[in-house]
Each structure stands twice: as structure tokens, then as C-alpha cells.
Amino acid sequence: MAAAAEAAGAAPDYEAAELYTRAFRVGALGRCWMQHLGPPDLSLAAEAAADEDAAVVAELGCELEMVPELQEVCSIDMLMSSDKEEDPDVIPEDNSLLTLRIRKEALERREETIIVDRACRQETLAYEMESHASGKRPDSPADLVEEGELLLTLNIFYPVIFQKHKDYKPYQTVLVLGSQKLTELRDSISCVSDFQIGGEFSSQPDQAPEHISKDLYKSAFFYFEGIFYNDKRYPECRDLSRTIIEWSESHDRGYVNLQSDDMEGYTFNDLSLKIGFPYLFCHQGDCEHIVIITDIRLIHYDDCLDRNLYPLLIKKHWLCTRKCFVCKMYTARWVTNNDSLAPEDPCFFCDVCFQMLHYDLEGNKLGEFLAYPYVDPGIFN
């Protein structure tokens, strides 16, 4: 009875009536599954060809000798007509389909201007990221994921400063292994805040420092179930959670027993989590991302089995790049304020247009303005 009670406490509510489950220990959930599943269910070995042939025979009720012929006839290679090979990207001139005529006109317009088919590129990007590592196995057996490994799916949302997307748009979807440390997830998260360059450089635009914010401000923390997991791997790291804990303890604010620990000493198997509950990742002092665990399951032989590829990015939201105000072609690299030569405030420029408009041939500053290096969020596309 005690063992059954422990197992019940380790498992989440699969039919949760609320938006999220109750808290449960991730590693205990994996051990519970290991106790109830047999070796065939946990095996990461690919199904043998003989087993696949037997499955076809059982499904179709045919003879075993007919399986190779069926596989050849039903192959996707047979979908292409053999007598007339045509390039699917070339639209014929004599067509009666309205959709093809519209597509042809759109392609002709794109050849004249720098325009991209964003919808098509977004669909292609999502498909490639979802499938490029599917079933991939490592070259070295030492890098093979172990049987019974847990696989967590995490949605990482836009920073709160992104008013347009902060409520409902996942910034990226990541797969992590239960045995991976929190620091590995922290290093895999890409955010435009990490690439900012601080300072004003209108007087010397060529002297902009090469060091980005990520190199200077390395402190960060995850917040899971009342515990702040701080990144303390570097001497310059600070405990960003200390201010929050002191604030919660200064008055009776309803937060009790908030704790702080080092994220380097914890894996996801060590955590207690709720599926569907919004947690927090904070870096650069005040850049806050909501993190939601949407799924926890055992790894399958069709998943990526190369441990070195995890955390594995499988989905990423597409962001439109901000173009230069002058040429309308290239991505903005500079933003100006109080610019006497610009019609807007702030105004965005690419490198070439910024230099040509604001400096003479000798590099002397023209007019009055403040210039800051600009990092476009679309760089992650």
C-alpha cells in the first residue's frame, strides 16, 4: 500500500480539470513508468525489417512474398509520372487554373522587388526544424540517449517587454532531456537582449565595442515551484533573486519559504513541476520570459537519440525584420534619437545609409543626433 501511494504521488493528473496539473517530481514519474513498462516498450532499437514485413502481413492479410512488391508499388517514388518529367516549380504558360495564374503573377513581382514569401518560408522553417533531427543517432555510442530517458517539451515565451506577443506567442519550443542540467537549457535560450550593445556612438560609430550584453551580464535564474535556481558558474554572476526574496519577506505578501539555489547542481529529474503552469526565466536583470512545460514523456526510437543535440529547438516564431528607413531593403543596424536629418524619432538605418546620411567623406558628424547600435529581433529567423 505504501508503494502504491508513493507511485500515485509521483504521477500527474492526466485528466486535469484545471489549466495545469498538480506538482509532481519529474524523476519519480520516470521511475514509475519504468516499473510498469517492459523492455520492448523502452527499447530504442529501430524495428527490424522482418518485424515490419510481419506487421504488413498481419495488417493486410497477404502473403509474405507479396510484401516487397507492395512496398515497391506503394513507394512515394511511384507518385511521379515516368513518361513526362516536369519541374514542379515552373508554372506552364497555358493553364486554366486561377490559383496558378495568381501564383505566377506573384513570382514575377518578386523578381522585380526584394520581397519574400513569408508564409511559405515560415511553413518551411517549421517543417525543417521539426524533422531535421527526427530519428537521428549519434556517431559515437557514448552519445546515445539511454533507454527510459524522459523528454520534456517547453514553450519559452517572448519577454514581457514585447507587448504584441507577450500573452500568447511562444518564442520557441524546445525539447530537453530529464537528465540535463538547468544550465544547458539556460545556454540554449536565444534572446535579442543578450546581443544588445550599450552606449551612444554618434561621435565614433566605428568604435562600437564588440562585447555584447551576454558577455558582460551573465546572471540569470529559473523559478520553479518556490525555488529560484541562479546561474552561479562565473565569478561576475549575481544572485538576481535576492531582491525578490527580500521583498517577499519584508511584509506579509503571501509568499512563504521562497528559496534560492544554484542551477548547475540540478537536472530536470530533480525538479517538482506542474504541466501547463507558467514558470519564469529571467536574465539581463529584468528580461523575463514565461516558461511552460507542455509535455513530459518517455523518449522513443523515432526521436532524436543524439544527446549532444539537446536541448533541441523544434519550433520558432517568425519575426518580421525592421528595414532601413532610407533604402527599405536592408536590415536596420542603427537607431537614432533627436535626429535633425531624420523625419521620425526614433529612426532606423542600415550601415551604409547611416554613414552616408550622417557623416561626410572624412567621417565628420553632420547635424545633431544620438546613435545607438540596433539589434533586430529578426536575426533569429
Side-chain angles (χ1 to χ4, degrees):
M1 293 295 291
E6 181 182 358
D13 298 322
Y14 290 98
E15 299 294 336
E18 304 296 334
L19 295 177
Y20 49 87
T21 67
R22 59 179 171 84
F24 62 93
R25 181 77 67 174
V26 176
L29 175 63
R31 292 190 295 271
C32 183
W33 275 335
M34 295 280 286
Q35 294 174 0
H36 291 82
L37 297 177
D41 302 314
L42 302 174
S43 176
L44 297 180
E47 292 183 350
D51 296 337
E52 295 180 358
D53 294 347
V56 173
V57 172
E59 184 72 22
L60 301 180
C62 61
E63 298 294 333
L64 185 61
E65 292 76 11
M66 293 182 61
V67 173
E69 181 180 356
L70 288 172
Q71 292 175 339
E72 181 179 358
V73 172
C74 299
S75 171
I76 59 174
D77 297 333
M78 301 298 293
L79 298 177
M80 179 67 71
S81 176
S82 58
D83 57 344
K84 185 173 65 174
E85 298 287 344
E86 295 183 355
D87 187 355
D89 295 329
V90 177
I91 300 177
E93 295 291 342
D94 53 340
N95 62 80
S96 58
L97 292 177
L98 178 61
T99 53
L100 287 181
R101 293 204 300 269
I102 295 175
R103 181 65 177 171
K104 183 176 178 63
E105 294 174 358
L107 291 176
E108 291 175 351
R109 288 197 303 269
R110 291 190 183 98
E111 292 180 356
E112 301 174 358
T113 58
I114 302 180
I115 299 177
V116 295
D117 188 347
R118 297 195 183 280
C120 181
R121 289 181 62 179
Q122 170 67 7
E123 293 170 1
T124 302
L125 175 70
Y127 173 77
E128 290 178 349
M129 297 186 69
E130 188 80 28
S131 61
H132 80 279
S134 178
K136 185 175 179 59
R137 292 175 176 267
D139 297 329
S140 172
D143 297 327
L144 183 67
V145 176
E146 297 181 0
E147 295 181 353
E149 181 71 83
L150 288 178
L151 195 63
L152 293 82
T153 304
L154 288 82
N155 277 345
I156 300 170
F157 285 71
Y158 278 97
V160 176
I161 58 175
F162 278 66
Q163 296 293 328
K164 182 179 178 181
H165 304 300
K166 69 174 184 178
D167 293 327
Y168 59 91
K169 285 288 186 182
Y171 175 54
Q172 56 188 9
T173 302
V174 183
L175 297 179
V176 296
L177 301 175
S179 59
Q180 287 189 297
K181 293 183 177 181
L182 299 182
T183 50
E184 297 181 64
L185 175 63
R186 185 261 185 274
D187 293 338
S188 71
I189 297 176
S190 298
C191 178
V192 68
S193 299
D194 288 330
F195 295 88
Q196 300 291 341
I197 299 175
E200 196 276 320
F201 299 95
S202 61
S203 300
Q204 295 177 322
D206 297 330
Q207 301 299 320
E210 298 180 356
H211 295 290
I212 58 178
S213 298
K214 189 174 183 179
D215 300 329
L216 300 175
Y217 312 108
K218 301 180 181 180
S219 304
F221 70 77
F222 286 104
Y223 175 76
F224 295 113
E225 293 299 316
I227 302 178
F228 294 92
Y229 298 94
N230 287 276
D231 191 351
K232 295 289 192 66
R233 291 174 293 173
Y234 308 100
E236 58 269 32
C237 286
R238 297 171 51 199
D239 186 350
L240 296 181
S241 66
R242 174 47 48 192
T243 302
I244 303 175
I245 295 177
E246 291 176 353
W247 170 84
S248 66
E249 293 175 347
S250 60
H251 297 86
D252 186 10
R253 304 183 186 272
Y255 301 95
V256 294
N257 298 327
L258 290 181
Q259 303 175 34
S260 176
D261 213 327
D262 296 348
M263 69 168 68
E264 188 177 11
Y266 287 86
T267 66
F268 284 90
N269 285 334
D270 301 327
L271 304 181
S272 292
L273 299 173
K274 299 174 184 176
I275 296 178
F277 190 84
Y279 295 108
L280 180 65
F281 169 65
C282 179
H283 65 128
Q284 295 301 320
D286 60 352
C287 186
E288 300 176 343
H289 299 257
I290 296 297
V291 178
I292 298 180
I293 293 89
T294 61
D295 186 37
I296 301 178
R297 61 178 177 86
L298 290 175
I299 199 165
H300 190 258
Y301 67 83
D302 280 338
D303 293 314
C304 175
L305 301 181
D306 189 347
R307 174 175 290 274
N308 294 326
L309 296 182
Y310 289 95
L312 180 62
L313 182 64
I314 62 170
K315 196 171 295 182
K316 181 167 57 175
H317 184 229
W318 181 275
L319 267 180
C320 294
T321 57
R322 186 184 292 274
K323 301 299 183 182
C324 172
F325 181 84
V326 177
C327 65
K328 310 292 186 183
M329 293 173 56
Y330 300 108
T331 303
R333 298 291 302 275
W334 290 90
V335 56
T336 62
N337 293 115
N338 303 325
D339 193 344
S340 60
L341 303 177
E344 295 181 354
D345 189 10
C347 198
F348 299 85
F349 302 92
C350 66
D351 275 328
V352 175
C353 295
F354 174 74
Q355 294 284 348
M356 293 180 64
L357 180 63
H358 294 92
Y359 301 91
D360 58 20
L361 296 179
E362 285 74 27
N364 298 317
K365 181 178 176 180
L366 303 176
E368 293 296 328
F369 60 92
L370 302 175
Y372 306 91
Y374 175 72
V375 181
D376 188 85
I379 61 174
F380 298 115
N381 293 341

